[in-house]
Amino acid sequence: MISLFIPGRGPLHRCPASVKVLGLAVLSLALALAPVSLVTIGAAAAVTAIAIALAALRPGIVLRDLLRTLPFVVFIGGTLWLLQDGLAAGTAAARILAIFTLASVLSRTTRVSDMMAAWPFRLSERLALALSLIMTMIPALLTIGAQVRDAQRSRGLRPSLRRWIMPFLVLSLRHADDVDDALLARAPTAATGRSRNR
Amino acid sequence: MIRFENVSVTAQSPEGAARLLHNVSFELTAARTAIIGENGSGKTTLARALGGLVKPSSGRVIAPENLGYLFSNPGAQPIMPTVREDVALSLRGTRSGGRKLRREEIDAKVNAALAEHSLTEFADRPCHSLSSGQQQRLALCSILVAEPDLVIADEPTSLLDARHRRIVADRLLSPAAERVVLVTHDLDLASRCDQALLVQHGRVTAQGTAVEIIDRYERSLV
């Protein structure tokens, strides 16, 4: 559920990152601790709707982000329905949807650097860099996956997970080496914290 | 000072250890140096050893610590999710006048650098969504914004259109610019340097003025 910042002028874009991070933490905790009930389902739905409205993003972006959470929601909700009852399943699904939406809205309306400068991340520059690298790695891995598929298609091979996984892993590991080199390639600063091979 | 003293670089391959550089020694005194040679001759390995990206198996490399290295594959250069953040990363932790740069100072420097490299309109775009040429400009921008003492650029103009090729070459090779070592197949670009090294089969076989070395290289191709 890690998304990328989209520029905008909505209320959440103007809100300080520290307030948004704190808001996400408090609301997530409150939703997680709330009892199984129709009131919790209603509150979670309200939180989801308000977060989407305040983000003021294009509906397509919000819909795409919500659809990504659907497999988790269906899996958790379905399992609880089978093991417990409909109310427990509905409450869990609503909680997950609301928390995912809050996280998505936060990352869509806040630059990673602003988020990392906000309390409590400000404590560690290295932690900030590590989290930023994770954010960058996800689209990079998706691109590598697509490149492997395209390379196979260009040779007339049919898509196959077995044929795809090995080159994907090799290229992903090579990408990790590239990232290490990219840190070394910058002039040395406290942010990259890497020393050269001399 | 930039100096190689009997530097060898060895890499492990399935066939065993392969020596990529053989006892290379030279000293660079000029502000702008080109490294030329055929594919697989060891140019990039030499540049990577100079940049501290690869550890020599023997010998010693002396080079400024405050350097920036520009990859031939610009897609491998971005570290942060968006263009603005990637350029700003180079300035995080940078000191000026004995203190760390403030957030507003970093923002101002980043905005100026983005404008200089025609990247302002892409400032909030994810780095991976840029075209290869735009990524090459971003890589250059991210390196130069930190004002390194030495820039090592591996094929810095290979993916650029004619206009941006000229702009990037003028920027890298301007007399006021930082010290530059270029790895390039573009002999026009190499001819604008003061000095050149010819690399063949993992050895530096000639060093001299760019014009002399390019002439020698071209004659060796006939």
Side-chain angles (χ1 to χ4, degrees), chain A residues 148-149 152-153 157-167:
Chain A
V148 173
R149 269 199 312 274
Q152 289 177 336
R153 283 199 195 107
L157 298 171
R158 274 183 302 174
S160 145
L161 182 65
R162 195 167 53 83
R163 271 198 299 263
W164 176 83
I165 194 77
M166 193 49 77

Side-chain angles (χ1 to χ4, degrees), chain B:
Chain B
M1 185 200 287
I2 297 174
R3 195 160 69 204
F4 271 46
E5 295 173 355
N6 297 315
V7 173
S8 294
V9 174
T10 308
Q12 290 299 324
S13 70
E15 291 82 33
R19 200 173 244 208
L20 306 178
L21 286 184
H22 304 261
N23 290 321
V24 172
S25 295
F26 62 84
E27 185 171 333
L28 300 182
T29 49
R32 297 169 296 185
T33 304
I35 300 175
I36 59 174
E38 291 181 41
N39 290 331
S41 59
K43 299 185 301 297
T44 294
T45 305
L46 191 154
R48 287 172 66 85
L50 176 59
L53 302 185
V54 60
K55 195 175 172 66
S57 44
S58 65
R60 193 158 75 117
V61 176
I62 299 169
E65 192 59 26
N66 181 25
L67 62 82
Y69 189 104
L70 204 61
F71 298 135
S72 57
N73 168 18
Q77 199 105 34
I79 298 171
M80 300 293 276
T82 64
V83 170
R84 182 188 298 282
E85 289 167 318
D86 195 58
V87 178
L89 175 74
S90 299
L91 293 170
R92 268 207 245 161
T94 305
R95 292 183 168 273
S96 173
R99 60 167 180 79
K100 266 189 176 181
L101 285 180
R102 284 198 302 272
R103 180 74 189 270
E104 312 82 66
E105 292 171 313
I106 291 179
D107 286 346
K109 276 177 177 272
V110 168
N111 287 337
L114 290 173
E116 185 187 346
H117 293 89
S118 314
L119 289 167
T120 304
E121 63 183 299
F122 309 113
D124 290 312
R125 289 259 299 269
C127 297
H128 72 271
S129 71
L130 302 183
S131 72
S132 299
Q134 289 161 352
Q135 283 184 347
Q136 197 156 35
R137 274 152 49 206
L138 168 62
L140 186 64
C141 182
S142 298
I143 294 299
L144 293 181
V145 74
E147 300 174 3
D149 298 327
L150 169 67
V151 175
I152 304 165
D154 191 353
E155 295 290 356
T157 58
S158 58
L159 300 168
L160 299 178
D161 58 48
R163 187 170 76 91
H164 285 105
R165 196 180 309 151
R166 200 191 64 234
I167 292 170
V168 167
D170 288 349
R171 169 64 185 82
L172 276 175
L173 300 174
S174 74
E178 47 290 293
R179 214 163 170 192
V180 174
V181 174
L182 297 178
V183 174
T184 185
H185 289 291
D186 181 347
L187 297 182
D188 285 335
L189 183 66
S191 69
R192 293 178 59 184
C193 293
D194 312 305
Q195 192 179 24
L197 300 178
L198 177 59
V199 182
Q200 292 174 309
H201 309 295
R203 292 186 167 85
V204 172
T205 55
Q207 179 176 4
T209 66
V211 176
E212 281 169 8
I213 300 302
I214 290 167
D215 184 49
R216 179 168 171 169
Y217 176 49
E218 284 181 323
R219 277 190 279 115
S220 76
L221 298 175
V222 179

Side-chain angles (χ1 to χ4, degrees), chain A residues 4-5 7 111-114 116-117 125 128-129 132-133 135-136 139-140 143 175 178-179 181-192 195-198, chain B residues 48-55 61 63-69 71 76-81 84-86 89-90 92-94 103 124 126 128 142-143 146:
Chain A
L4 279 174
F5 173 74
R111 285 195 181 92
V112 176
S113 50
D114 291 338
M116 296 307 131
E125 193 86 29
L129 181 65
S132 302
L133 287 175
M135 303 279 273
T136 316
T143 306
H175 179 73
D178 287 345
V179 171
D181 281 352
L183 288 169
L184 277 174
R186 306 283 173 118
T189 67
T192 59
S195 55
R196 299 187 191 286
N197 297 303
R198 294 273 191 234
Chain B
R48 287 172 66 85
L50 176 59
L53 302 185
V54 60
K55 195 175 172 66
V61 176
E65 192 59 26
N66 181 25
L67 62 82
Y69 189 104
F71 298 135
Q77 199 105 34
I79 298 171
M80 300 293 276
R84 182 188 298 282
E85 289 167 318
D86 195 58
L89 175 74
S90 299
R92 268 207 245 161
T94 305
R103 180 74 189 270
D124 290 312
H128 72 271
S142 298
I143 294 299

